[in-house]
Amino acid sequence: MNSSPFSCKPMAKIVVVVVVVTLLQFFISMEIVMSSPSSFFDRIIQLPGQPPVNFQQYSGYVTLDEKKQRALFYYFVEAEFNPASKPLVLWLNGGPGCSSLGVGAFSENGPFRPNGNVLLRNEYSWNKEANMLYLETPVGVGFSYTTETTSDDDDTASIGDKITARDNLVFLQRWFLKFPQYRQRDLFITGESYAGHYIPQLAELMIEFNKKEKLFNLKGIALGNPVLEFATDFNSRAEFIWSHGLISDSTFNLFTKACNYSRYVSEYYRGFVSPVCSRVMSQVTKETSKFVDKYDVTLDVCISSVLSQSKVISPHSPTKKIDVCLDDETTNYLNRKDVQFAFHARLVGVDKWTVCNNILDYELLDLEIPTISIVGSIVKAGIPVLVYSGDQDSVIPLTGSRTLVHGLAKELGLDVTAPYRVWFEGQQVGGWTQVYGDILSFATIRGASHEAPFSQPERSLVLFKSFLEGRPLPEVFA
């Protein structure tokens, strides 16, 4: 067979094109690596069992101390649409000791929910409105780790609010080195429960840091069912559970006069519970029943992972729980080796990943230090604050939070700029809200639990969107 000297040219052209395209892809990838090397290597290609998505995901570690091997683990989900135009939102779960990955991302407002061997899309994920950054804090929570022991320096031997706030500040500083494109982006901080301590203290440090170097473009904080003032928050529990029929009139009187809840918790964490408090709490526990979810007094579904949101704010919870979920989907999923590989995660000093770290050596008496005054300083600095409550939570009831916000507004001299009213999600009442001075707001989410985005995802997303946009919650039904 005769061959023309020109017969191979089309094939040669194809080869040349392939080589050129490959080189271009290589140089583009190298440019990305050189401009932001650590974020490039933190990119998640695809999580096991994950459905196709059109947004980028990242996860990995930010080292706080190389010598002592202290590192915080993060999971970052870019916005589903137009991430470059959307704000950055840091989410923190409480505890102290509970995972923002396992609770916040996988049970509440993240893009996926584990279901057996696969992940299902969350229709009401908050990354529809923002770039979501979930941080497992403090060190020792989830995949975050430290190799420190109690024999180390005294100031870091145990973990408390001040150390956690400092670590979270360092985390954000160094995270921006991984993602410099987000450095000037509008930044919001949100979270729930004991994050009522984490978030205000972190925001306070950020405001102080900005006086020296403008790094954080902080635009607002939102606190869900937060611990803000020990006595007010805890003692509102008695009236709440009484008004919902969980305890009798006589037990309510005991729970308010003989031994209130703040006194009981204070004694509990000092290692001695007085006989009178022991009797009162025994009666309260008997009447409320261990078969009722204190985090949502109307809910009787399987939420085993989020029920352990906090050992601190419910220290009297029974040690043996009714297991309505034979398998904890989140725990099973995050303990798979292929999942940990995809997340660039590793276990250090523990045998398995857990939703909440029950052995975390946290300074529990920090619970009694009020953070509502810090919230006031944040408002004074011109940063909008939203306090919201799932209205079926008996652990940190809405009544205590509402009282604290109203008292703070009065102390700051803020007038009511939006009187107490209902707000709507679709054609249903989504909750109630009141605004002070157009900078301090309180809102409830109707029918929601302690973990509001878990139990009322659509209503929580409406509230979240309004918060980010600085708009009033909808006054009329859609």
Side-chain angles (χ1 to χ4, degrees):
M1 180 178 179
N2 294 328
S3 62
S4 164
F6 305 102
S7 61
C8 66
K9 279 192 175 182
M11 181 60 69
K13 289 180 179 179
I14 292 173
V15 171
V16 169
V17 169
V18 169
V19 171
V20 170
V21 169
T22 302
L23 287 172
L24 282 173
Q25 290 176 335
F26 171 76
F27 286 120
I28 290 171
S29 65
M30 286 303 297
E31 184 178 352
I32 295 172
V33 172
M34 293 303 293
S35 63
S36 186
S38 49
S39 68
F40 177 83
F41 292 115
D42 283 359
R43 181 181 170 188
I44 297 172
I45 305 303
Q46 184 167 338
L47 295 172
Q50 174 201 304
V53 294
N54 60 349
F55 53 84
Q56 299 296 330
Q57 305 174 77
Y58 300 83
S59 63
Y61 290 93
V62 169
T63 300
L64 305 175
D65 189 321
E66 290 278 3
K67 182 180 178 181
K68 296 180 179 178
Q69 297 184 46
R70 303 173 72 248
L72 291 176
F73 180 83
Y74 78 91
Y75 173 48
F76 179 48
V77 185
E78 289 195 323
E80 189 171 347
F81 303 105
N82 303 317
S85 66
K86 298 290 175 64
L88 173 65
V89 174
L90 172 66
W91 172 271
L92 301 177
N93 274 99
C98 294
S99 164
S100 296
L101 173 65
V103 184
F106 274 3
S107 297
E108 298 192 71
N109 51 42
F112 306 115
R113 298 279 175 86
N115 185 13
N117 293 323
V118 300
L119 296 175
L120 303 180
R121 284 296 300 273
N122 175 14
E123 185 180 355
Y124 304 108
S125 174
W126 285 12
N127 83 315
K128 292 183 179 295
E129 302 296 336
N131 301 282
M132 296 296 300
L133 175 58
Y134 300 91
L135 175 61
E136 293 200 300
T137 186
V139 291
V141 173
F143 291 121
S144 295
Y145 65 86
T146 177
T147 59
E148 288 180 283
T149 66
T150 53
S151 62
D152 289 322
D153 296 341
D154 290 339
D155 64 335
T156 55
S158 61
I159 301 172
D161 284 358
K162 288 185 178 180
I163 292 175
T164 300
R166 183 192 68 193
D167 286 351
N168 292 343
L169 181 76
V170 173
F171 166 85
L172 280 175
Q173 290 174 278
R174 297 182 180 179
W175 188 86
F176 281 134
L177 297 178
K178 285 176 176 278
F179 296 88
Q181 67 271 33
Y182 283 93
R183 178 168 175 160
Q184 298 304 317
R185 195 73 59 89
D186 286 356
L187 172 63
F188 296 83
I189 314 177
T190 63
E192 66 197 14
S193 194
Y194 200 79
H197 275 226
Y198 294 158
I199 294 173
Q201 292 179 82
L202 171 59
E204 183 181 42
L205 290 183
M206 293 166 69
I207 292 169
E208 192 64 30
F209 185 90
N210 274 356
K211 293 178 181 178
K212 301 175 183 178
E213 178 187 348
K214 178 65 176 175
L215 176 62
F216 306 108
N217 192 18
L218 184 61
K219 294 296 184 180
I221 67 173
L223 309 168
N225 291 83
V227 181
L228 295 172
E229 201 280 312
F230 178 65
T232 304
D233 284 323
F234 279 43
N235 293 335
S236 63
R237 176 180 297 203
E239 184 175 8
F240 186 92
I241 62 176
W242 169 74
S243 67
H244 284 68
L246 275 67
I247 58 174
S248 64
D249 292 351
S250 59
T251 300
F252 171 71
N253 288 330
L254 286 173
F255 205 19
T256 53
K257 296 175 182 178
C259 176
N260 60 30
Y261 195 59
S262 65
R263 174 183 168 183
Y264 164 73
V265 174
S266 182
E267 290 182 357
Y268 184 93
Y269 283 110
R270 284 172 171 79
F272 174 77
V273 177
S274 62
V276 62
C277 280
S278 182
R279 287 195 301 270
V280 170
M281 284 308 303
S282 178
Q283 185 64 23
V284 170
T285 301
K286 179 181 177 181
E287 290 185 8
T288 55
S289 168
K290 64 181 180 180
F291 298 97
V292 170
D293 174 9
K294 310 303 186 296
Y295 293 84
D296 187 332
V297 297
T298 63
L299 193 67
D300 58 353
V301 297
C302 168
I303 53 170
S304 61
S305 63
V306 292
L307 273 177
S308 53
Q309 171 84 205
S310 176
K311 61 182 179 180
V312 169
I313 54 183
S314 283
H316 200 268
S317 296
T319 54
K320 183 177 181 181
K321 295 179 179 178
I322 300 302
D323 188 10
V324 293
C325 302
L326 295 178
D327 292 320
D328 187 320
E329 301 283 5
T330 299
T331 300
N332 289 343
Y333 185 78
L334 292 177
N335 275 296
R336 287 169 47 180
K337 295 301 181 185
D338 58 337
V339 171
Q340 292 175 6
F341 180 81
F343 268 118
H344 319 118
R346 58 187 181 275
L347 297 173
V348 178
V350 293
D351 296 328
K352 62 180 292 188
W353 182 94
T354 56
V355 174
C356 296
N357 185 340
N358 292 322
I359 61 172
L360 187 69
D361 184 20
Y362 205 90
E363 180 48 73
L364 298 177
L365 294 182
D366 282 355
L367 176 70
E368 297 180 4
I369 302 173
T371 56
I372 187 67
S373 58
I374 301 177
V375 173
S377 69
I378 293 167
V379 172
K380 285 181 182 178
I383 307 298
V385 174
L386 166 66
V387 175
Y388 67 91
S389 296
D391 65 9
Q392 298 307 306
D393 177 28
S394 74
V395 175
I396 304 294
L398 73 96
T399 49
S401 299
R402 184 171 60 187
T403 298
L404 287 168
V405 172
H406 181 75
L408 179 61
K410 187 175 180 179
E411 180 184 324
L412 297 176
L414 299 176
D415 295 328
V416 174
T417 48
Y420 203 78
R421 64 166 175 85
V422 298
W423 62 272
F424 287 87
E425 173 272 308
Q427 297 186 0
Q428 298 292 330
V429 171
W432 282 260
T433 183
Q434 186 161 357
V435 182
Y436 304 87
D438 292 326
I439 194 168
L440 176 64
S441 306
F442 173 75
T444 66
I445 300 178
R446 182 168 168 246
S449 66
H450 189 70
E451 299 84 12
F454 168 81
S455 52
Q456 288 290 342
E458 190 166 4
R459 290 173 185 173
S460 296
L461 182 59
V462 170
L463 180 137
F464 179 64
K465 187 174 188 295
S466 296
F467 164 67
L468 294 181
E469 295 176 352
R471 296 177 182 271
L473 284 159
E475 295 189 53
V476 296
F477 62 80

